[in-house]
């Protein structure tokens, strides 16, 4: 790794400039523009790309040059010209979409009454000339912007030519060589005292000492070793922790051989074999040219040895097949060791640990140091061994605490800055250090980690700086925003933008740039955080002009996030109108507020019609606070259907979203995600073939709301709730939904209302036609009154459903459903009018959770035999005999449930049924999860009873 102080010259403005210029966005822009303007961009790119690479190579090295102000001005103009060209192309695409939608409507209208044909052509003629004129003007503007970009690149290269280019280029290249080389080689011995890692060390040592079942050392099936890994960003203390573990193991003598090998980014297999040989024998390895001979010698030395091997600083790229194969070659001779041997790996990415054979639970993220411990660490580097009187030491420690706050918990930064403080022990110097930009002086390791990310991944990470520190990020939300911003770079036809961005996200997680937040309760959703130190790096990489410009210049902004889910501030109608009229280049708009303005109807939020002017908008979120969302209705104007680029609509906890006119939403042909917790009035969605997320669809007896609207929406994934199935009249109509073709669905809920519009026989036929996709994981059937269950439940339907809920269903499942339920882990029977429970329960050998609730007609005197796999049983019934038998020790029913970890029993009127710990809880976390699940289920059921009664009234 390059020395951080030496590498610091590549940080700051130069890093920001080089990082952006080096990205492929300029090449992509010229390719898209050439397609529109009708010229071949290949020759132009051949001419420009070497110049762009030159800018990348020297930008970081001109940080302190007198020419920097001029270069900075040119760089600013280059970005401005690029963004303007990109927006022109976006306008062109808008016109193309508008014309396509007009043509499609015209075709459908022509198929209708001929008397309307004349007025349709008249309407198209009125709107077309302006659009053609704008499109023509766009060509002229775009050509000029491309010429401007080319001119700025050439001017920048001329400035660089006047500078001492060779020395600058060479200096920068030396940094790259340093970053890519093995750098300073680590050893198993720590440099100095280690502070604050004892708990982490204990955890890893415990893993290294775990006993496992292994095959014989010479077998090819099971390796004699297992892998434990530590991952985290550069400079976070991975190697130091591994050194502490190594020192502990040498003292404990649990392993009869402890080896340390520093791998680094550019390693040679033969060289590592030689290092392992020397570590195993304590003698020099002969210089052998034949790898097979070298491997044989190493295997001989390791044969029968119970070893611990530390592989420090392993770099891994899943796309580099050659490197991946070389990593596997490193492990080959280790198979000669004794069963129970261990490998401890440190890496910046979790992918490296997994590739070497570590399991998920043995991939340990390096933990952040407590603030007080971190301050002690800094003071150790700064004051250790220094003769200073108590008064001076107290003054220095007070200043040191302020310095520690600026280092954001980085052990590497503590070592670098502490070393500087150690040199001069006077308060004046320490205060000068405190007042410096310590971020630039300690960012080197992180900069090199960032340098090795893919260009588009860098851009995605830089974007994260717009969020506040410690902001909780959700994976799907961030991915959708990146897609809306245009960060996805698809490399093959048919590749989905979100899939590409999910890959970017996983790269950042693997490299520890994004870290999973510790959950406060077991059922909390997964959230990700940016470490404070990395947040500062992201800010340096992000286009800060978008954040810091004055209000009067905000017309160029592309992303705007207002408020938070917990904000109590209101956003008024006039504020929204101002935003929509002035910020015409917005691509992402997120408004989270305690209230979204008050209208004549207190619970209605009428979005201003001028939102239709935001032609570039791709991601829109209106999220009233949870406590304000109940009963809230958002009304979208007819102009909303002009937002042809729209990809994601997120309405949070809003209960209802409607359109103010009968306009179809089908013109939003790029719409991919509709996110809400209530009901969105979506009409004629059959042409939204890009739609991936739509939690609910309400069937109605009106044109545009038929079940067949779902037929071609085969990209739907995740969860889908189909309501109003009592309005469907036949199996044929059910088949028109084509649910089997929606392979990405994992959760499906099918609901019949209580209106009695469909007879039981019709309901059975409709359910027969609603065959789900084969990979469905969760199925919920509500209000089904049919006399039989569909044939696809035991033949031709999904085979691996692990969660089944039957709610308010009249028919008891028979033994024919045993195959459908073979992989079932959770079964809920809620409000069903059954007189008995299924008698084949003991055959459901994967079942862990069983909830039987509010089934008032059950008259059985005993429980069926339950499988031994059960962990959680919840029974609510008015059958007092059954309740009593379940609570009576030694009763046959008690015997059937005594092996279950958590049992909750009560009658239908109990608010808190009695809970019993029937078995020995082996896993406290599992017991906690079950208890919390019961709490959340209780809340959910109360909400469900309320919503179903409302649905019945509607």
């Amino acid at each position: 790794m390059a020395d951080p102080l030496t590498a610091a010259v590549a940080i700051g403005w130069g890093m920001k400039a080089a990082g952006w210029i080096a990205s492929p966005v300029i090449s992509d822009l010229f390719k898209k523009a050439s397609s529109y303007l009708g010229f071949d961009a290949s020759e132009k790119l051949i001419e420009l790309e070497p110049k762009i690479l030159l800018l990348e190579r020297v930008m970081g090295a001109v940080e302190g040059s007198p020419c920097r102000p001029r270069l900075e001005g040119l760089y600013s103009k280059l970005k401005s010209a690029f963004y303007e060209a990109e927006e022109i192309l976006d306008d062109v695409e808008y016109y193309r979409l508008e014309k396509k939608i007009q043509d499609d409507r015209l075709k459908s209208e022509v198929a209708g009454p001929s008397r309307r044909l004349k007025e349709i052509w008249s309407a198209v003629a009125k709107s077309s000339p302006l659009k053609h004129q704008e499109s023509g003007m766009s060509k002229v503007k775009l050509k000029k912007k491309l010429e401007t970009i080319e001119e700025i690149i050439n001017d920048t290269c001329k400035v660089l030519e006047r500078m001492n280019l060779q020395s600058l280029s060479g200096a920068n290249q030396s940094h790259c060589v340093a970053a890519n080389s093995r750098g300073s080689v680590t050893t198993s011995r720590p440099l100095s005292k280690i502070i604050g890692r004892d708990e982490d060390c204990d955890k890893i040592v415990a893993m290294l000492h775990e006993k496992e079942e292994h095959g014989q050392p010479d077998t090819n099936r099971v390796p004699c070793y297992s892998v434990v890994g530590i991952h985290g960003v550069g400079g976070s203390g991975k190697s130091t922790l591994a050194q502490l573990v190594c020192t502990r193991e040498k003292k404990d003598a649990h392993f009869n051989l402890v080896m340390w090998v520093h791998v680094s980014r550019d390693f040679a297999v033969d060289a590592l074999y030689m290092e392992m040989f020397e570590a195993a024998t304590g003698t020099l390895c002969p210089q052998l040219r034949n790898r097979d001979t070298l491997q044989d010698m190493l295997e001989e030395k390791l044969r029968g040895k119970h070893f611990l091997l530390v592989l420090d600083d392993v770099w891994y790229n899943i796309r580099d097949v050659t490197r991946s194969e070389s990593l596997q070659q490193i492990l080959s001779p280790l198979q000669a060791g004794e069963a129970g041997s261990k490998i401890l790996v440190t890496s910046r990415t979790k992918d490296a640990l997994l590739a070497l054979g570590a399991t998920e639970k043995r991939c340990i993220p390096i933990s952040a140091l407590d603030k007080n411990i971190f301050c002690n660490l800094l003071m150790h580097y700064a004051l250790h061994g220094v003769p200073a009187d108590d008064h001076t030491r107290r003054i220095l420690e007070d200043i040191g605490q302020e310095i520690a706050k600026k280092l954001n918990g980085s052990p590497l930064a503590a070592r670098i800055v502490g070393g500087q403080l150690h040199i001069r022990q006077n308060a004046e110097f320490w205060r000068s250090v405190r007042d410096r930009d310590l971020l630039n002086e300690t960012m080197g390791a992180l900069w090199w980690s960032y340098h090795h990310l893919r260009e588009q991944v860098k851009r995605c990470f830089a974007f994260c700086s717009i969020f506040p520190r410690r902001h909780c990020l959700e994976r799907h939300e961030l991915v959708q925003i990146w897609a809306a911003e245009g960060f996805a770079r698809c490399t093959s036809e048919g590749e989905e933008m979100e899939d590409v961005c999910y890959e970017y996200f996983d790269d950042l997680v693997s490299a520890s740039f994004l870290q999973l937040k510790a959950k406060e309760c077991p059922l909390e959703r997964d959230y990700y955080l940016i470490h404070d130190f990395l947040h500062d790096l992201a800010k340096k990489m992000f286009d800060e002009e978008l954040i810091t410009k004055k209000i009067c210049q905000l017309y160029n902004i592309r992303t705007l996030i207002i408020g938070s889910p917990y904000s109590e501030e209101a956003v008024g109608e006039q504020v929204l109108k101002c935003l929509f009229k002035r910020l015409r280049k917005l691509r992402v708009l997120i408004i989270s507020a305690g209230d979204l303005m008050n209208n004549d109807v207190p619970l209605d939020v009428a979005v201003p019609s001028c939102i239709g002017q935001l032609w570039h908008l791709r991601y829109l979120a209106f999220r009233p606070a949870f406590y304000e969302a109940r009963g809230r209705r958002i009304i979208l104007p007819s102009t909303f259907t002009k937002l042809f680029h729209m990809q994601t609509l997120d309405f949070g906890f809003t209960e209802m979203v409607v359109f103010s006119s009968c306009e179809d939403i089908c013109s939003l042909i790029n719409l991919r995600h509709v996110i809400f917790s209530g009901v969105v009035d979506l009409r004629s969605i059959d042409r939204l073939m890009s739609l991936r997320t739509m939690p609910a669809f309400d069937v109605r007896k009106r044109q545009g709301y038929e079940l067949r609207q779902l037929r071609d929406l085969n990209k739907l994934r995740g969860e889908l709730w189909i309501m109003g199935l009592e309005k469907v009249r036949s199996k044929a109509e059910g088949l028109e939904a084509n649910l089997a073709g929606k392979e990405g669905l994992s959760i499906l809920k099918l609901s019949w209302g209580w209106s009695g519009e469909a007879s039981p026989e019709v309901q059975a036929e409709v359910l027969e036609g609603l065959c789900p996709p084969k990979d469905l994981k969760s199925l919920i059937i509500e209000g089904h009154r049919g006399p039989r269950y569909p044939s696809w439940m035991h033949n031709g339907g999904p085979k691996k459903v692990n969660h089944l809920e039957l709610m308010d269903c009249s028919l008891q499942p028979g033994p024919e459903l045993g195959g459908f339920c073979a992989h079932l882990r959770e079964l809920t029977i809620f409000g069903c009018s059954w007189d008995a429970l299924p008698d084949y329960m003991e055959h459901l050998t994967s079942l862990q959770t069983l909830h039987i609730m509010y089934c008032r007609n059950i008259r059985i005197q005993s429980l069926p035999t339950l499988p031994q796999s059960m962990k959680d049983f919840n029974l609510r019934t008015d059958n007092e005999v059954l309740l009593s038998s379940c609570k009576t020790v030694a009763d046959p029913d008690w015997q059937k449930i005594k092996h279950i970890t958590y049992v909750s029993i009560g009658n239908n009127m109990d608010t808190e049924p009695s809970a019993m710990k029937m078995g020995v809880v082996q896993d406290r976390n599992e017991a906690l999860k079950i208890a919390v699940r019961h709490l959340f289920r209780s809340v959910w059921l109360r909400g469900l009873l309320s919503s179903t009664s409302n649905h019945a009234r509607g």
Side-chain angles (χ1 to χ4, degrees), residues 61 130 389 503 661 784:
L130 176 62
D389 59 73
E503 187 178 337
S661 69
H784 181 62

Side-chain angles (χ1 to χ4, degrees), residues 740 768 770-775 790-799 819-820:
E768 184 70 38
L770 295 172
C771 180
K774 61 181 180 180
D775 293 326
S791 61
W792 49 258
M793 274 193 161
H794 51 86
N795 183 26
K799 300 296 184 185
F820 180 76

Side-chain angles (χ1 to χ4, degrees), residues 239-274:
S239 297
T240 302
L241 176 55
Q243 288 168 337
L244 183 59
V245 171
C246 221
T247 301
R248 177 89 62 89
E249 290 297 351
K250 286 179 179 178
K251 288 181 181 178
D252 292 349
H254 178 79
F255 299 95
N256 52 36
L257 179 60
V258 177
M259 301 175 286
W260 179 285
V261 175
H262 182 246
V263 181
S264 82
R265 187 171 188 271
D266 289 333
F267 63 87
V269 174
D270 291 358
L272 292 183
Y273 279 173
M274 294 173 70

